[in-house]
Every structure is written in C-alpha cells, then in structure tokens.
Amino acid sequence: MARSLAVEDGTVVFRRSDGTVLPLHPVWLRERSRESDEFDAGCRQRLYDPWRIETAIRIDGVDTLDDTTAEVRFSDGRAVRFLLDWLDGELDPADALPPKIPWTAATHAPNVAVLQVLDTPTGMTMFLDGFLRTGLGLIRECGNEPGSVLRVAERFGPVRVTNFGALFEVRTTEAPTDLAYTALALYAHTDNPYRRPIPGIQFLSCLVNDAEGGESTLVDGLAVAQSLRSDDPDAFAALTTTGIRYRYDGDGSVLEDVGRMIEVDEAGEIQRIRFNPRVEYVLPAPPAALAAFYRARAVFGARLGDPAFEIRLKLEPGDTLMFDNHRLAHGRTSFSAAGRRHLQGCYIEHDGPQSLYRAGRSAVR
Amino acid sequence: MARSLAVEDGTVVFRRSDGTVLPLHPVWLRERSRESDEFDAGCRQRLYDPWRIETAIRIDGVDTLDDTTAEVRFSDGRAVRFLLDWLDGELDPADALPPKIPWTAATHAPNVAVLQVLDTPTGMTMFLDGFLRTGLGLIRECGNEPGSVLRVAERFGPVRVTNFGALFEVRTTEAPTDLAYTALALYAHTDNPYRRPIPGIQFLSCLVNDAEGGESTLVDGLAVAQSLRSDDPDAFAALTTTGIRYRYDGDGSVLEDVGRMIEVDEAGEIQRIRFNPRVEYVLPAPPAALAAFYRARAVFGARLGDPAFEIRLKLEPGDTLMFDNHRLAHGRTSFSAAGRRHLQGCYIEHDGPQSLYRAGRSAVR
C-alpha cells in the first residue's frame, strides 16, 4: 500500500506501507525538517534548537507532490518537504540492530571468520550480525605476535584503556610459587564489574597454547538469567534486587561500583549480568533477605558452569575471541601437563561494532 | 562505645561504635574471611568462589581475642579472625565518595587549582573533592601547546578515545562560508548522548582566546532537574519517561542510543541528563503524550540557559575545564569581534577520578 501524509479531521496522519494509520504531533513533524537551512546534510545535525519550536504550532495543509514526497505547510509560515519512505522509517521505534538470541550448549550457532574476511564489507557485516545476536565471535588467522589483539580490536572500535593499560596478559605457566599464575581452572566470570563504566566487549588473542587442557569456557548469561526467570522466579527476583559492591583495590587504584548480579531495565528486560565471585561484596542486609539471595547466588553460580549452558573451545595461536562482557561469562579449564599458555586481552565499547554494523547495513541497502 | 562481635540467642550480632546492633548472616561473615589461604593480600581478591559456601553454614562460637580482633568458629571447621574496625566499615553501605551538591549561579563554589598543586596528594584530593561535589573544576597553568589537554586528562584517568580520535578541536574563527566554524553561540548541551557508553567526563583546554565574547557557559543539570521535580512535577515526569533516540550519522559512523532527557534510578535518584537538541529524535508516541513532553522540554531547555542557574567564565590560554558530562551542560556565548578562539577537548571515564579520590583518602587516613 502506498505511504501517504494527509490532514484528516484536523489532525495530520501518516498512512504506513503496512496500512496502519498514525496521528502525528505537529512538533514531531516540524522538528524533522531536512530543509537545508535547518539541517546540515554534511554533519547531519540540526541547525536550530527544537525545544524553541512553538509547542502550539499547527499544520495548515499537506500537499502531495508525487509518490515519494509530501510538503507540509506549518503555521510558522514554513513549508517543509518530507520523503515518505524516510518518514516511515522514523516511525519505527526499534533500533536497526539484530535481536539478541539467547543460546545454550545445544543451540549455540558458532560465529567464526578469518581476519581477512573482515576486510570485505559483507564479511564484516555478517560477522557483526552473528556477534550482535550471540554476543560472541571467533576470529582466526590474526597472527600471534604480541600486541596483535590491539590491531584486531581496533577494527571494531577504539580500545578502552584502563589502569591496567591498553592490553593485559593472561600468561599461565605451572609455577606454584606464584598463586596468580597457576594452571588452575578459572570459573565463569565477567570482567571488571567494579569499573564505571564496565568495559563492554572483551578480546582475547592466543599467542601460545601448548598446554593440555586450558580450554576457554563461555556461557550466555542472558540465557542463564532467562532460565532462572522462568523456572526459579524467586532466585531471579533476589539477583535483580540485592545490592552488591564490586571492588578492586590494588596498584594504587580503588575501583568500586554497586550493582546487581542480573540487571534489568524498567521494562524488566535483562540488560547485563555481573558475576565475579573474587571481587563481590554483598551490601549489609537483614539475614532473612540475604538467605534468599545466597540461595539464588548458589543456583546462578552453578548454572553458569552447567554443561547444558557452557561451550568450550581451545584457542589456537592466531585465534581471537570477541565477546560481550555485559552478557557472556567466560573462564578456562585447568591444565595439568607441562606447556605454555599465553593470551593477551583488551576491551572496546559497544558503540564501535554497533556503528560498524549500522553503517554496513545502510551501505548495502 | 567499643565494637564487639558476639552470639546472642543463636544469632551472631555486631555492635557498632555508634551503639547500633546488627544481626549478621553467617555466609555474609564467612565470605569476608581475610585468612591468607582464602584471600590474596597482594591482589586483594578472594581465592575461592563464595557462591560455593554452604548456605546453611552456622556459627559455632565467637572468641574475643582483644579490643581489635574477634575469632569466629564456623560449622565448616574454619576459625576466621576479623578486625572489628574493618568489619564496622563493611557494614556501611555508602560509597566513600563525597555527595553531589547541586548548585546554581548564586550557590556555585568555584573549584580551582593550578596544575602543579595536583602533584601533591593533598592538593589532588582537595581538587577531586570539589569536583565530585560540584561536577566541575578549573585547572590553571596547564600550558597552551597543542595536546596539553591529553596530558592534563591523563592525570585523572585513561583518555577515552572515540571515532573522533583521542582529542577534538574546538577552533572557532569568523568564517561564515563554513557553518560549522562560525562564531555563533552554542546553547547548553551534553556531549555524545548517542554513544554507548556516553563519555563520563570532559576536558576542554584553551590554547588561544583572543576574541571578544566566547565565554564558556556551564549549568548544573542536577540542580535544574531537581528544580523541575519540585516545581513542575508533570514536566519532570515527562522528561524521565519519554524515550528519545540520540543519533549521530557522519564520517562512516552511525551512533545511536535511546534514553531519556533526565534519567533516574529505581529509587528515583537523578543519575544523568542528556540534552543535545541537535541530535535528538523523540520516539513516535501518541500526540497527547508528546504534547506533555514538548511542553516539558521547552521548560527544561529554557531553564538550562537561565542566568539563575548558569555560570560563565572566559577561559585563558593554559586553562583547562573539567566537568561531568552526565551532570553538567556546557556551551559558549557568541563572539563578534575579530580574534581567535582555539580549544582542544577529550574525555575520560568516571572511575579514574573516583579511584584517585578513594586512594588519596585512604592514604591520608
């Protein structure tokens, strides 16, 4: 059905391609002017402050110029042309990003690319599509020289430098004199829950992985949180309401943030998980409330390592993992044989890949 | 009054220095063990996963060793020593940061330091105290060579690089052929509301400011939002609930985020303002709801430039402004005389100054 803009019974209405008819507020339409003296096509910003538009502005009439364009006459004396296709898009409240699809060990669809494929717009957009849906991607043939993780990450967005520097080392050898560098398993966790803001996306590049074991573990916290919401709503409620102080104190830094293990927005949608048992401190609360929370935490913790949810993969030299640190928890299995395992990691923020995806999609259209 | 830890009627209770008596959940106490095999004093992290603690763990007894220390015997067989002073601090849910104090033109207390003073721990901590309270600071004698803004910012935390680079230029000359570089006034706004995450803190360093006019304007969005909440609650409600898409589209980047002009947490506390009329697009909504919003936006917009709230200062070469981009709106007045005005800006995140402040405070204690 053809799009159209018309005045009906004193109200301007837009008829969408799917046949729905939406009344429009005159200011909503007026402030979308793309006239060249009101909107800079280069920097794509308005050239005036829309909050100064007279809120009682009226529409005096609409003239359909052709199938694609209508001209609206406003009571401030301006006639403004609108492309109907573009206006249709403006009436769609959803972001153009693909939806997040929760996954389990049984339903996980691998998202793998070799680095060179990301040089092509289609290859990059397809990889990003998989990343935005699953929160995870594996990039192969990245090279295994020190620092290559930064060059891979910078294809997606500026590196988020922290007090640890631009990159961090995950160098694990069997040296039991130094507890921090044992070959112990590392349980599922999210990184840096004490930071403001929490780093959005993590990269881990493999330089060497000769050891037996030392597999990377990954679990979709969104899927785990959703499973709790449906089969243990009391646990879900406790985890979304109990305040936790996440704290890092070392090397002259004292980083703290208070949050929840499962964070939901006002519509109840799961926005983020924070799970890092080494640095979490439940705020003081009455023992009865804490009893409900501690039960819930034990269920959540166990499920984040449940083989029904967890996937494992062994990184090879030149492999880079990319995962959403607000959604996935990651860890590693222990390794017992002699051997070396050396990864390097860094962070970027969510807006980098999202911007790349949107720009890639609009280039394809 | 002396702190103490004791078992009373089968419950472990802590008597605080102010006389209040708090019952403690056994897990809450157990997971705060600082025993050397359970807590790494170097990296200050736990060496085990507390969600694995038996949630039904009991306390078999408490022995007071001296005025400072108690030893708790748990039903898992461990005896754990606690410093009572430290435990008292753990029972304080508040962050150690100073409170945010909203300010108006009449109540604003300037927070000014010369760069060299920040070399001293006391000077830095005092400046940060003022910054955390007011969201604003002015640092003088920073030098006016290009790039000095990065060196000033890096004293507080790692620079947040964006697709615009590490620093951005605010170079305004009277060249009417290029609209982006006119000497027009710039109304109060917050930067980059379309980014995920939105940059936390902005720095602006002045290299040259020969022009007449060109004063920097600053307004405490927290104070403005609070004023709306008290004298125009309908406007406050509309601004905290109406969804806005903030959008930047240029130079190959398509950045989008949906938020509110005033963002509150679940307790109703004002967390952030986003006000950038050039890049805001109200989501489609019924005209009646939008009418309430547009009225509210006009009130909010006008108040952000109201002399009762706004302060002005003229940056001199070598001056650096530092302000909270989630709280303050900033702008500039026009300038009409011939002259040069060249600023450079960059961003850091909130955790940098907060960490510095906490570390400085604990060093002083």
Side-chain angles (χ1 to χ4, degrees), chain A residues 282-298:
Chain A
V282 187
L283 294 180
L290 288 183
F293 168 76
Y294 286 128
R295 184 194 73 80
R297 183 178 69 173

Side-chain angles (χ1 to χ4, degrees), chain A residues 277-290:
Chain A
R278 306 308 171 96
V279 299
E280 87 190 22
Y281 294 89
V282 187
L283 294 180
L290 288 183

Side-chain angles (χ1 to χ4, degrees), chain B residues 78-283:
Chain B
R78 284 298 301 249
V80 179
R81 291 182 182 199
F82 293 98
L83 291 172
L84 299 176
D85 260 10
W86 177 82
L87 210 51
D88 207 16
E90 285 290 292
L91 284 162
D92 192 353
D95 197 341
L97 299 180
K100 293 179 181 175
I101 310 292
W103 52 264
T104 64
T107 64
H108 174 65
N111 178 37
V112 185
V114 298
L115 186 65
Q116 206 179 352
V117 164
L118 304 183
D119 289 338
T120 68
T122 305
M124 177 57 106
T125 300
M126 283 180 61
F127 178 77
L128 288 170
D129 186 80
F131 173 75
L132 293 167
R133 288 175 194 275
T134 64
L136 178 61
L138 173 62
I139 309 167
R140 308 207 108 132
E141 300 179 19
C142 299
N144 68 336
E145 59 278 12
S148 62
V149 69
L150 297 176
R151 288 188 292 282
V152 175
E154 278 162 359
R155 287 175 169 246
F156 297 92
V159 167
R160 164 92 184 272
V161 180
T162 72
N163 57 305
F164 301 145
L167 68 75
F168 53 89
E169 305 281 351
V170 186
R171 195 196 303 258
T172 313
T173 56
E174 282 194 296
T177 52
D178 186 340
L179 213 57
Y181 296 99
T182 62
L184 292 176
L186 206 53
Y187 199 78
H189 64 283
T190 62
D191 269 23
N192 291 15
Y194 40 72
R195 220 175 267 288
R196 292 178 178 161
I198 300 169
I201 294 168
Q202 181 167 172
F203 289 78
L204 280 175
S205 285
C206 177
L207 279 64
V208 187
N209 200 1
D210 290 343
E212 268 183 49
E215 287 180 295
S216 298
T217 64
L218 293 149
V219 58
D220 184 3
L222 175 61
V224 172
Q226 286 187 349
S227 78
L228 277 182
R229 184 166 56 188
S230 54
D231 65 26
D232 194 342
D234 288 346
F236 186 79
L239 294 167
T240 54
T241 55
T242 305
I244 317 278
R245 179 180 294 159
Y246 298 92
R247 181 196 293 163
Y248 173 87
D249 179 356
D251 304 326
S253 293
V254 186
L255 299 160
E256 278 191 27
D257 192 42
V258 171
R260 312 287 160 84
M261 289 202 177
I262 301 174
E263 295 178 340
V264 298
D265 64 16
E266 57 205 3
E269 293 293 315
I270 296 159
Q271 293 300 309
R272 182 163 64 188
I273 68 157
R274 310 196 202 198
F275 192 79
N276 194 318
R278 306 308 171 96
V279 299
E280 87 190 21
Y281 294 89
V282 187
L283 294 180

Side-chain angles (χ1 to χ4, degrees), chain A residues 13-32:
Chain A
V13 298
F14 186 75
R15 197 174 303 271
R16 304 192 69 181
S17 51
D18 63 4
T20 54
V21 178
L22 290 174
L24 303 182
H25 191 287
V27 175
W28 192 89
L29 201 54
R30 181 70 184 85
E31 68 183 2
R32 278 168 174 73

